[in-house]
Amino acid sequence: MGLSDNLKGVILAVASSAFIGSSFILKKKGLKRGGASGIRAGVGGYTYLLEPLWWAGMITMIMGEIANFVAYIYAPAVLVTPLGALSIIVSAWLAHFLLNERIQKMGIVGCVSCIVGSVVIVIHAPQEHTPSSVQDIWTLATQPAFLVYVVATLSAVLALVLHFEPHYGQTNILVYLGICSLMGSLTVVSIKAIGIAIKLTLDGMSQIAYPQTWFFLTVAVICVITQLIYLNKALDTFNATLVSPVYYVMFTTLTIIASVIMFKDWSGQNAGSIASEICGFITVLSGTIILHVTREQEPPPPPVGTCRTHHPPPPFWQGKGALTLFINGDSLKSPEEEHLITHHRLDEYYEP
């Protein structure tokens, strides 16, 4: 007896989570090495592209995303997406052993809470109403409710990129991960459309000639590239043990909202099932808060151009002037740069 489509989707989703959870750690180590030898990714540097570990993490993430993509072909988004919680466990434990980002005892409780909440969501997930063609998906994508969601999502992304990132990107994890998650919700619905098109094509009903297929493919590529850019920034700036669960919660929540609006997943469900799914979300959010509160603090990196050492003047009884040096970045300014190096004479500090 062959495996059911849902079971195939679950197996692929679990494998995807293992790959993606591992990729967080590999990329984090690559980003750290790249930042040590050049400009950090968090402030616009690309030195990490020369690091083999970062590329190993990238390949691992691609493998995970491919498995995740195929999982969406066989199972509904409300079943596949919550299983991403497993990546939290993988990345948290690998970070504990490989990055010395310690997991506290309550952090373990937080991880378990994330898993329990995801299981509740999966158990009460509605049956998917699979469209029979890309044209049917296009009809769903152009319904007023989903168009409102798309406009709101893109507006929020623009606000985060243009206003919040310059001011709060280095201090608030929600900025980078908000961009990733918002774009990720559009990625999933586009990937779902592409997956259905591939499945129908393999079944003998070609969807290649439809322009909607290529539109969904273009949207998916743009969204994935945007996600990768800002995920790199988040990993380079914040603790990996925190990035993984927060990204999971935001991405899963927004993805399921998008799927519910576009594919009408809750249509026909009773109030009890919907309430159980909401409780599952609350459980996952609670686990994430526990992880955030109990995480080991990581000192924030110094902003570019502001790292400096200041040697104060000696007391007057030493009989010598004081030399104040400012170090900017990695280079010591030369004596000719009079606006950065100042020689303080003795009589400036002592008046007889």
Side-chain angles (χ1 to χ4, degrees):
M1 183 177 178
L3 299 176
S4 65
D5 284 350
N6 268 16
L7 184 55
K8 291 177 182 177
V10 169
I11 293 173
L12 288 166
V14 170
S16 171
S17 295
F19 283 124
I20 292 175
S22 302
S23 74
F24 274 108
I25 308 306
L26 292 172
K27 291 172 70 177
K28 177 76 173 182
K29 289 183 73 69
L31 287 166
K32 280 189 171 183
R33 290 187 180 182
S37 59
I39 301 176
R40 295 171 40 248
V43 291
Y46 294 95
T47 315
Y48 61 88
L49 294 175
L50 302 177
E51 294 295 328
L53 269 179
W54 186 88
W55 283 107
M58 191 66 188
I59 293 171
T60 306
M61 175 168 277
I62 291 173
M63 293 172 64
E65 294 296 345
I66 290 174
N68 200 46
F69 169 76
V70 180
Y72 280 114
I73 297 177
Y74 290 102
V78 291
L79 175 60
V80 173
T81 307
L83 292 177
L86 296 177
S87 67
I88 297 175
I89 305 301
V90 173
S91 62
W93 282 102
L94 288 178
H96 178 80
F97 291 108
L98 300 180
L99 298 179
N100 295 321
E101 296 178 1
R102 296 180 56 193
I103 302 177
Q104 307 297 329
K105 291 182 179 179
M106 287 302 296
I108 298 175
V109 175
C111 290
V112 173
S113 297
C114 291
I115 298 300
V116 171
S118 297
V119 170
V120 172
I121 295 171
V122 170
I123 291 175
H124 296 278
Q127 295 295 321
E128 184 186 26
H129 308 290
T130 305
S132 58
S133 70
V134 174
Q135 289 178 311
D136 291 342
I137 301 176
W138 181 257
T139 301
L140 295 173
T142 53
Q143 60 183 314
F146 188 70
L147 289 178
V148 169
Y149 176 81
V150 171
V151 171
T153 297
L154 295 179
S155 299
V157 169
L158 286 176
L160 288 170
V161 171
L162 299 179
H163 176 70
F164 290 96
E165 183 187 357
H167 297 90
Y168 309 106
Q170 294 292 307
T171 58
N172 193 324
I173 193 174
L174 298 181
V175 175
Y176 291 146
L177 295 187
I179 297 171
C180 291
S181 302
L182 288 165
M183 297 301 286
S185 66
L186 300 180
T187 300
V188 169
V189 294
S190 300
I191 289 293
K192 184 69 179 178
I194 297 168
I196 293 174
I198 292 175
K199 187 176 181 180
L200 292 172
T201 300
L202 294 176
D203 290 339
M205 296 176 287
S206 178
Q207 305 293 307
I208 297 177
Y210 293 108
Q212 292 91 336
T213 302
W214 299 102
F215 175 82
F216 285 122
L217 179 61
T218 302
V219 171
V221 170
I222 293 173
C223 291
V224 167
I225 292 174
T226 304
Q227 282 180 263
L228 290 176
I229 291 173
Y230 284 95
L231 183 57
N232 281 334
K233 290 187 176 184
L235 282 172
D236 186 56
T237 307
F238 302 99
N239 192 306
T241 308
L242 179 62
V243 170
S244 185
V246 173
Y247 179 47
Y248 164 76
V249 171
M250 296 179 67
F251 172 75
T252 301
T253 302
L254 291 170
T255 295
I256 292 181
I257 290 173
S259 181
V260 166
I261 295 174
M262 180 171 171
F263 294 104
K264 304 183 185 299
D265 291 327
W266 282 350
S267 178
Q269 274 200 300
N270 57 46
S273 296
I274 295 175
S276 296
E277 293 177 54
I278 293 174
C279 288
F281 280 122
I282 294 174
T283 304
V284 173
L285 290 172
S286 300
T288 303
I289 293 172
I290 293 173
L291 279 170
H292 175 71
V293 172
T294 62
R295 82 186 192 278
E296 187 177 59
Q297 295 293 329
E298 184 177 34
V304 173
T306 60
C307 178
R308 66 182 186 179
T309 57
H310 179 210
H311 301 279
F316 65 88
W317 58 81
Q318 290 184 0
K320 294 181 180 180
L323 182 65
T324 301
L325 297 178
F326 290 86
I327 300 177
N328 190 331
D330 296 325
S331 60
L332 181 64
K333 299 302 180 183
S334 63
E336 288 75 19
E337 301 182 62
E338 296 178 354
H339 64 289
L340 291 179
I341 295 185
T342 305
H343 181 267
H344 300 280
R345 296 177 54 186
L346 178 62
D347 54 12
E348 294 178 35
Y349 299 100
Y350 173 68
E351 295 181 3

